[in-house]
Amino acid sequence: MGLVHSFALSLAAVFGAQAQGADADLFSMTEIAQSCGIDVRYTGPGGGGFVNIMIAGAAVEDFNRDGWMDIYILGGASAADRLFICTGPDKSGTIRYEDQGEAWGILGPQMGAGVSVADFDNNGYLDVFITAVGDHIITRPGQHRLYRNTGPDESGQFRFEEIAQQAGVHTTAINHGDGYSSSWGDIDADGDLDLMVGGWVARSGGNTLFRNNADGTFTDVTAEAIGIDLIETNGFTPKFVDVTGDGFPEILIAADYNSSKLLLNDGTGHFTDITESAGVNQDSNGMGAGAADVNNDGLIDWYVSSIMNEAVPAQDGNKLYINLGDGIFQETALEAGVDDGGWGWGVGMGDLDHDGDVDIVETNGWSGGTWVGEHSYIFLNDGDGTHFTESTAALGVTNNGLGRGTILFDHDNDGDLDAAFVSSNIRFALYRNDASEINTNHWIQIRLDTSASPSNTPDGIGAHVVIYAGGTVQHRWMQANSGYLSQGPIVIHAGLGEHTTVDRVEIHWSNGSLRVIENLAADTKHVLAACDGDFDHDRVVTMDDLDLFIKAFLARDRAADLDANAKHNLQDIFGFIRSYNDGCPSDS
């Protein structure tokens, strides 16, 4: 690091301390996108109007499974989407990206709105779903894309195969170009990933739930599975989140015009609207959203971005819904200091300073009024989720376009979370987080390997991970959820403060089983594997596990349903035998 850069970081840290208080963990953020080889701007549809400025998305994941995060960025109506593959550090140490979209098979321009990522076919490689409001010329329905990642060919080249129409997910709204954020989760505990798409256009019917048929196709089950008509829901950002802790995800929809929804899962993939009784009907213009445990009480909370306009009482800003348990939430945004995020859109939630709590990053902007040129917001959690400190300027973040997507991810593999912002009118921005260089706090990152567990969702999506370190307890959930039009990687990240060892990690898998790991190293990226036959958590499948499996099987325990078909039958016994013969896969 050069002398000038070191001085700049130190200066930012000093001002950060003044802004955040003496106990703050100091760090700064620096914009680096163009220096890394990413110089791209979204080109929206012509003709003006809301659609023109409401869309622009991206997603971050390790698409070629080489240990570096890659970035998929929508191009818009005048340019093909970009797939920036990370090539690692160059000779100077700069992390570099190379656009390989054409080589991977990405098609030409379209009016893409949002991006989400998941391994929907469980082949070990991450696929990409694109919502679109039209083709490259006009807005019209039926333009969504599903890129199936086929993995490397004989030459090592990865490819995407576009299959949206044959998979049955190319259309949500029949008569309108509609479709905004999308997210992935397992609504019925069958081990594969279902898809929810938000539809904003009035009465378009665009809010759509697709059930995965496990054969490369999906079925629209919106009317069958959701107990209310969503025709009046102006949906922007749906999420799959287990707010009740029963192992089955609810559907949360951040929606415009006082129409947000919380849909309770009955355990079979059927839903009931509990929005009003839960107290989560207070956001007037729900747009983006994040879900995380901001107060470390073991319950997942919901943050919804909205519009702050002091001249219009109904537009009273963001909402922070604190989960009290039993399906009840308390709204605390004003008291917590996170209500004013301008004209809010994309949300990211994660521990930026590694002090053991969840911070909030929100981008914003509109084409008129007081929101023109307003910067994105970073709210640092002061410790227990009851108050946050707005620290954007102190950290050096100046992103002030018409911000739409926010993504938190570790771009340079140094352990801290960097921040990317997607805007509809300025270039893609990537801010490198220097927390790992400046402060002394520690961290841990966890991926989940479910390749040897057919009853678990790919990459452990839906798993509840509990991290114990030095008397502290943190709760994280593996998610493939959009924050608004954009999605971060399917990774657990947690700051550990001063603790150099994680005493214990509990993985509550989506299939109902439990894995316990002790004494994990800090400042390390771990890949922890599921093992269907390991009922006593010793990573060896023995006759002791057979005894426990039989007891669970007779008790009709979910953990013994090894083929995830909601039945306990001969196939589960065969599944245990397979696991007994194969043994448990290794962690890495």
Side-chain angles (χ1 to χ4, degrees):
M1 182 189 301
L3 179 62
V4 174
H5 184 53
S6 297
F7 178 75
L9 294 183
S10 300
L11 189 63
V14 169
F15 284 106
Q18 292 175 352
Q20 302 165 38
D23 295 329
D25 295 304
L26 309 178
F27 67 107
S28 67
M29 305 186 77
T30 306
E31 209 288 312
I32 59 169
Q34 292 185 60
S35 67
C36 291
I38 304 175
D39 187 359
V40 61
R41 171 179 168 175
Y42 185 79
T43 59
F50 280 177
V51 169
N52 196 36
I53 60 175
M54 290 201 309
I55 57 178
V60 172
E61 249 301 353
D62 183 4
F63 293 109
N64 57 5
R65 300 289 198 187
D66 68 349
W68 293 93
M69 291 298 176
D70 311 305
I71 307 174
Y72 190 109
I73 305 176
L74 294 181
S78 302
D81 299 347
R82 309 291 185 89
L83 178 60
F84 288 97
I85 298 297
C86 184
T87 57
D90 62 16
K91 292 181 180 180
S92 70
T94 299
I95 308 301
R96 303 288 297 178
Y97 295 85
E98 179 182 277
D99 180 14
Q100 298 182 13
E102 184 176 354
W104 279 60
I106 292 175
L107 303 180
Q110 64 171 4
M111 297 180 193
V115 191
S116 65
V117 174
D119 180 8
F120 85 89
D121 57 354
N122 202 12
N123 72 342
Y125 299 103
L126 292 156
D127 313 301
V128 177
F129 180 69
I130 311 293
T131 55
V133 298
D135 58 25
H136 66 290
I137 299 175
I138 61 171
T139 58
R140 65 188 184 97
Q143 301 302 300
H144 305 329
R145 292 177 179 174
L146 176 60
Y147 286 112
R148 178 179 178 267
N149 187 339
T150 60
D153 61 20
E154 293 180 356
S155 69
Q157 174 63 53
F158 281 75
R159 296 285 298 180
F160 280 136
E161 176 190 10
E162 204 291 300
I163 61 167
Q165 185 164 3
Q166 66 193 68
V169 295
H170 62 298
T171 301
T172 46
I174 296 175
N175 297 315
H176 300 273
D178 195 14
Y180 285 77
S181 304
S182 59
S183 294
W184 299 85
D186 185 3
I187 63 172
D188 46 7
D190 63 354
D192 52 37
L193 291 168
D194 310 302
L195 173 66
M196 182 75 193
V197 181
W200 176 80
V201 176
R203 303 191 66 80
S204 74
N207 295 291
T208 307
L209 176 62
F210 292 103
R211 178 171 286 143
N212 193 331
N213 298 323
D215 60 1
T217 68
F218 293 79
T219 298
D220 180 352
V221 296
T222 313
E224 164 194 334
I226 295 177
I228 61 168
D229 189 347
L230 295 177
I231 195 72
E232 301 292 347
T233 299
N234 301 96
F236 273 136
T237 307
K239 287 180 176 291
F240 294 103
V241 178
D242 180 13
V243 302
T244 64
D246 65 354
F248 298 96
E250 276 65 54
I251 295 176
L252 285 68
I253 307 174
D256 210 350
Y257 306 125
N258 300 101
S259 65
S260 290
K261 293 287 183 289
L262 169 51
L263 307 176
L264 180 69
N265 192 335
D266 69 358
T268 68
H270 292 82
F271 297 86
T272 303
D273 181 12
I274 62 166
T275 309
E276 292 194 17
S277 64
V280 293
N281 57 345
Q282 301 179 51
D283 48 283
S284 56
N285 300 99
M287 297 178 184
D293 181 8
V294 301
N295 56 358
N296 280 339
D297 66 351
L299 300 171
I300 196 164
D301 311 303
W302 189 26
Y303 179 80
V304 178
S305 64
S306 189
I307 302 172
M308 171 58 80
N309 184 358
E310 295 181 357
V312 180
Q315 295 178 338
D316 57 355
N318 308 321
K319 302 301 176 185
L320 177 57
Y321 298 112
I322 299 297
N323 191 342
L324 304 179
D326 297 323
I328 303 297
F329 290 76
Q330 180 181 3
E331 202 289 299
T332 67
L334 177 62
E335 296 82 357
V338 297
D339 59 320
D340 188 357
W343 191 302
W345 294 99
V347 174
M349 300 181 76
D351 189 352
L352 295 177
D353 49 6
H354 291 162
D355 62 353
D357 52 44
V358 174
D359 310 306
I360 300 172
V361 182
E362 176 188 330
T363 196
N364 81 97
W366 193 242
S367 57
T370 61
W371 307 282
V372 175
E374 189 168 12
H375 61 77
S376 299
Y377 285 81
I378 298 178
F379 299 104
L380 294 181
N381 193 331
D382 291 346
D384 61 2
T386 61
H387 190 268
F388 293 74
T389 299
E390 201 285 300
S391 306
T392 316
L395 299 178
V397 174
T398 59
N399 190 69
N400 61 355
L402 296 179
R404 295 299 172 258
T406 300
I407 305 172
L408 301 183
F409 71 107
D410 184 5
H411 116 93
D412 49 5
N413 279 348
D414 67 349
D416 54 34
L417 292 174
D418 310 296
F421 299 103
V422 191
S423 302
S424 64
N425 69 330
I426 64 172
R427 289 182 174 88
F428 178 89
L430 172 59
Y431 282 83
R432 183 189 63 229
N433 184 350
D434 295 306
S436 291
E437 297 184 41
I438 294 178
N439 71 30
T440 59
N441 288 340
H442 300 278
W443 54 271
I444 189 171
Q445 292 185 20
I446 298 172
R447 276 197 182 270
L448 298 180
D449 174 8
T450 58
S451 58
S453 177
S455 61
N456 266 304
T457 52
D459 297 290
I461 292 171
H464 177 192
V465 179
V466 188
I467 301 168
Y468 299 82
T472 65
V473 184
Q474 297 185 55
H475 297 261
R476 299 288 186 269
W477 288 261
M478 198 65 83
Q479 301 183 49
N481 285 326
S482 175
Y484 179 69
L485 305 182
S486 301
Q487 180 188 314
I490 307 167
V491 175
I492 297 291
H493 172 273
L496 302 174
E498 63 184 11
H499 306 299
T500 59
T501 302
V502 174
D503 303 317
R504 175 183 172 97
V505 169
E506 295 176 358
I507 304 172
H508 300 264
W509 298 98
S510 62
N511 69 354
S513 63
L514 171 69
R515 183 179 175 195
V516 177
I517 312 102
E518 295 184 345
N519 298 319
L520 279 175
D523 303 326
T524 304
K525 297 187 175 186
H526 299 271
V527 179
L528 304 178
C531 182
D532 277 351
D534 183 23
F535 279 76
D536 60 3
H537 318 307
D538 64 356
R539 303 305 290 168
V540 180
V541 184
T542 66
M543 296 302 292
D544 292 334
D545 295 297
L546 175 59
D547 181 57
L548 294 171
F549 166 72
I550 291 172
K551 291 178 180 177
F553 183 89
L554 294 175
R556 299 297 188 261
D557 191 304
R558 281 181 62 200
D561 180 18
L562 300 186
D563 62 353
N565 67 350
K567 300 177 183 178
H568 292 77
N569 54 27
L570 189 61
Q571 296 304 315
D572 302 309
I573 297 173
F574 290 154
F576 181 85
I577 294 172
R578 173 190 52 78
S579 183
Y580 183 89
N581 290 332
D582 294 345
C584 294
S586 299
D587 297 329
S588 59

